[in-house]
Amino acid sequence: MSTWRDRLTYEYRCPVIWAALNEIKSSYVEVMSPLLSRRVLDAIVALPDHLRDGRSMYREIIAGLSPPIGFAEHNAIEPASGILASPAVVHYLRASLDSAEARELLSKDLIDVVLQKIATSPGRPVPRRSIVPKYIKQLVPERMRMFRNRVSRPRDLDVNLLALRASLIVAMDRRMKADARTSSSRSIDP
């Protein structure tokens, strides 16, 4: 499975997904990752699975080169749900959807439900710092953890995300109408 995962990364994820994301930046900067050079990839592919899994070899090398600084356990980037629930974003979304443009474009029921249920959160939730789950997590096989995450993931509708998408629809409609007005006013004479 580890070899298959790495093969999917090199043969699909890098050339299809990462290349598409890098295309946006390539007009402005040169995009190069020395860790994806052919010589480095050939060396990595030659390693046994246990050294590639969980970045264990990387952790071992870094631990030998640097002072004893722990690796990050939690993501430093706030999740989209936290950003969408911030008071400033909720205020913007409410103003965008409580407009004549939005009511003309979207259904009244949709706008009413979104405006009624959109909510703010006071701030970033504080992560749990208990040591016990860390040790239990190490004992549970990764396949079981992945299955638990898939099964226990909440499947409720995120109204704030729905509000963002509705707001994007309204903004794009406004821009397209403005573009159509400006392009129709400039006619090309033969």
Side-chain angles (χ1 to χ4, degrees):
M1 290 303 285
S2 298
T3 306
W4 175 245
R5 176 203 61 219
D6 294 343
R7 185 174 168 200
L8 283 176
T9 299
Y10 304 141
E11 293 183 9
Y12 174 73
R13 191 169 181 83
C14 287
V16 175
I17 297 173
W18 291 351
L21 293 173
N22 286 332
E23 183 179 0
I24 297 167
K25 298 180 275 189
S26 64
S27 300
Y28 309 101
V29 295
E30 182 178 344
V31 179
M32 186 190 118
S33 175
L35 296 177
L36 292 176
S37 69
R38 176 57 49 201
R39 289 175 57 193
V40 171
L41 288 179
D42 288 342
I44 291 171
V45 169
L47 294 171
D49 290 346
H50 74 277
L51 290 177
R52 290 192 325 265
D53 290 344
R55 299 181 178 135
S56 59
M57 186 174 178
Y58 171 79
R59 288 174 183 260
E60 187 177 316
I61 290 170
I62 295 301
L65 293 175
S66 71
I69 300 171
F71 290 95
E73 298 277 330
H74 304 285
N75 204 348
I77 301 169
E78 187 170 1
S81 60
I83 295 169
L84 291 175
S86 68
V89 173
V90 169
H91 176 72
Y92 171 79
L93 293 174
R94 281 183 188 276
S96 174
L97 294 176
D98 197 14
S99 66
E101 291 175 311
R103 296 204 181 271
E104 178 184 313
L105 188 62
L106 303 170
S107 75
K108 180 186 180 317
D109 294 336
L110 173 69
I111 293 173
D112 291 343
V113 166
V114 170
L115 290 176
Q116 180 184 15
K117 294 189 177 186
I118 193 169
T120 61
S121 68
R124 216 176 157 157
V126 178
R128 288 181 284 149
R129 298 288 180 195
S130 175
I131 295 173
V132 176
K134 180 179 177 182
Y135 292 115
I136 293 174
K137 183 179 176 183
Q138 290 174 350
L139 296 174
V140 176
E142 184 178 356
R143 186 176 291 166
M144 292 293 287
R145 281 184 271 146
M146 289 172 50
F147 177 74
R148 183 196 60 130
N149 289 342
R150 252 185 301 165
V151 171
S152 65
R153 186 177 300 152
R155 302 196 188 274
D156 293 336
L157 175 66
D158 184 357
V159 178
N160 292 35
L161 182 59
L162 180 62
L164 173 68
R165 290 179 177 174
S167 178
L168 287 172
I169 291 169
V170 173
M172 284 305 299
D173 183 63
R174 182 183 325 116
R175 286 184 183 218
M176 289 180 172
K177 285 179 180 175
D179 184 49
R181 280 191 301 271
T182 58
S183 64
S184 66
S185 66
R186 288 180 277 151
S187 60
I188 300 173
D189 293 326

